[in-house]
Amino acid sequence: MSAVLQKLKRFKLRALHNQKKFGVAGRSCEEVLRKACLHLQLPVPGSSLCLYEDGTELTGDYFWSVPDDSELVLLTAGQTWQGYASDISRFLSVFQEPHAELIQAARQLLSDERAPLRQKLLADLLGTVSENIAAETRAEDAPWFEGLESRFRNKSGYLRYSCESRIRSYLREVTSGASLVVTEAREEYLRVVGAMCQKLQAARYNSSYFDRGAKASRRLCTPEGWFSCQGPFDVDDCASRHSINPYSNRESRVLFSTWNLDHVIEKKRTVVPTLAAAIHAAEGREVDWEYFYRLLFTSENLKLVHIACHKKTTHRLHCDPSRIYRAPAAPRRKRPARQRP
């Protein structure tokens, strides 16, 4: 036991709400406390030491069970510490108005941190306080546009392009569905696809879904650019409450590309084959291509989902048989001939 008592234990120590750390070593809790107070020029009476991680007070009985190089916080009379969550809470209390000093403090904490969980919490916090949501143009937020072509001058323009690209890819898949149709019906299939294409062009490929500046009925986000996951195809809402603002910073913009516009009634397994079969079996009836258009390209059948909520399983949902063909027009009733007096 005497050999253990002679061994110096090393700690990293800092004062409350001070990110600057220094090393201190001692053979007892009292010695470490005395050296720390001397270094920081604080009074020993009323002062105490606790673990940075969870706020546990360092006492004589606990001293030797604490690993070397543990991080400690020095508290003076009346001060408390609830663990590293206290740092997070302190940042959260002011992150609505983040200043350069706050961001620098978060970066300093992150650079000194080695525990994976705390690294993630601090990295997420730093990303939040560094957001520039209100900025729209390249001049206002150049880091957001890093890696994008110079033709993109504002955030809304790029996100409209992103949405349009997704819808165009759906159109290409529908066009390739012509191979599912027998030769004699292929011309009609391509005519229907052409009508859908014209409607999409008029709607600018529904690119307004990702545009925070669009009318409320035409976008999937708030005016500030926040998107909420709409949940898997078979539930009404997202249980995890996933949300993202791709307008905030570059990382969020990149992560947003992993979110899916998921077809509730599946495009490739159900909608396109049903359209092809309907055209083949029309027998004089008119296929209601606008019904299929809404299933393929609009929020009537599209849900915006976080990648974790995108179920790859077969949906086992079908098109509505009563909406596949247009109702035949009622014949006009002939007016009775007017009799001459």
Side-chain angles (χ1 to χ4, degrees):
M1 183 69 177
S2 58
V4 174
L5 292 175
Q6 295 302 313
K7 180 184 176 183
L8 286 169
K9 286 191 69 68
R10 303 182 307 274
F11 298 96
K12 294 177 182 177
L13 200 143
R14 64 184 175 91
L16 185 67
H17 302 325
N18 187 336
Q19 277 70 54
K20 189 174 182 180
K21 303 174 188 177
F22 60 94
V24 64
R27 294 181 177 85
S28 68
C29 182
E30 293 76 10
E31 182 181 355
V32 173
L33 177 62
R34 186 172 61 254
K35 288 181 177 180
C37 288
L38 180 63
H39 180 88
L40 294 170
Q41 298 183 343
L42 294 172
V44 175
S47 295
S48 61
L49 297 170
C50 67
L51 293 180
Y52 170 79
E53 184 171 2
D54 59 10
T56 301
E57 184 177 357
L58 187 65
T59 62
D61 295 337
Y62 189 42
F63 182 80
W64 291 106
S65 62
V66 177
D68 276 347
D69 296 315
S70 293
E71 185 176 340
L72 304 179
V73 179
L74 175 61
L75 303 175
T76 57
Q79 292 182 330
T80 60
W81 180 254
Q82 304 299 320
Y84 63 82
S86 296
D87 266 340
I88 304 295
S89 298
R90 185 165 60 95
F91 287 132
L92 290 177
S93 67
V94 293
F95 86 93
Q96 293 289 356
E97 296 286 342
H99 301 289
E101 294 84 357
L102 171 65
I103 295 173
Q104 182 58 38
R107 285 176 177 157
Q108 180 63 43
L109 279 171
L110 182 59
S111 66
D112 292 341
E113 191 51 67
R114 293 295 177 266
L117 175 59
R118 298 203 295 263
Q119 281 183 332
K120 182 181 186 305
L121 289 172
L122 287 167
D124 289 347
L125 175 64
L126 185 57
T128 298
V129 300
S130 302
E131 289 174 350
N132 196 357
I133 292 175
E136 176 66 21
T137 66
R138 186 182 285 265
E140 293 170 328
D141 191 1
W144 191 93
F145 293 85
E146 183 180 337
L148 299 182
E149 298 176 26
S150 59
R151 64 190 174 101
F152 296 112
R153 302 295 181 85
N154 58 68
K155 296 178 180 180
S156 295
Y158 173 76
L159 285 162
R160 282 196 303 270
Y161 166 79
S162 174
C163 186
E164 179 179 331
S165 297
R166 299 187 191 209
I167 299 297
R168 282 181 178 271
S169 71
Y170 301 160
L171 180 61
R172 287 194 293 272
E173 288 186 60
V174 177
T175 303
S176 65
S179 61
L180 301 175
V181 184
V182 295
T183 304
E184 55 268 26
R186 193 165 298 163
E187 182 178 348
E188 176 60 15
Y189 182 90
L190 293 175
R191 186 196 68 78
V192 166
V193 173
M196 291 183 180
C197 182
Q198 289 183 346
K199 192 174 180 69
L200 276 175
Q201 289 173 344
R204 298 186 177 181
Y205 294 89
N206 294 326
S207 58
S208 62
Y209 285 165
F210 290 179
D211 182 1
R212 64 181 176 180
K215 293 181 179 179
S217 60
R218 296 292 301 156
R219 54 179 159 81
L220 299 178
C221 61
T222 69
E224 296 76 29
W226 285 99
F227 292 83
S228 296
C229 175
Q230 296 174 323
F233 73 92
D234 53 353
V235 297
D236 293 331
D237 203 358
C238 171
S240 301
R241 296 293 185 265
H242 295 123
S243 65
I244 191 171
N245 191 329
Y247 289 85
S248 61
N249 54 39
R250 178 179 177 274
E251 183 176 357
S252 294
R253 167 176 66 78
V254 174
L255 287 175
F256 187 60
S257 66
T258 67
W259 284 48
N260 291 275
L261 278 173
D262 187 28
H263 289 82
V264 178
I265 302 175
E266 293 173 283
K267 171 181 78 271
K268 194 170 184 178
R269 286 193 179 108
T270 305
V271 182
V272 172
T274 301
L275 173 61
I279 291 174
H280 175 62
E283 297 181 349
R285 293 172 293 179
E286 184 181 1
V287 173
D288 189 352
W289 64 265
E290 289 184 295
Y291 166 63
F292 288 97
Y293 170 90
R294 291 191 295 273
L295 293 181
L296 291 165
F297 306 116
T298 76
S299 56
E300 181 176 315
N301 189 50
L302 291 172
K303 295 184 77 172
L304 182 67
V305 295
H306 183 279
I307 189 170
C309 288
H310 186 207
K311 295 183 178 179
K312 300 286 189 177
T313 57
T314 303
H315 294 191
R316 302 188 186 282
L317 297 173
H318 306 283
C319 300
D320 184 349
S322 68
R323 301 177 67 182
I324 291 177
Y325 298 102
R326 295 187 190 275
R332 291 185 178 181
R333 296 177 61 183
K334 293 184 179 181
R335 293 182 180 180
R338 297 179 62 183
Q339 295 182 351
R340 291 184 180 181

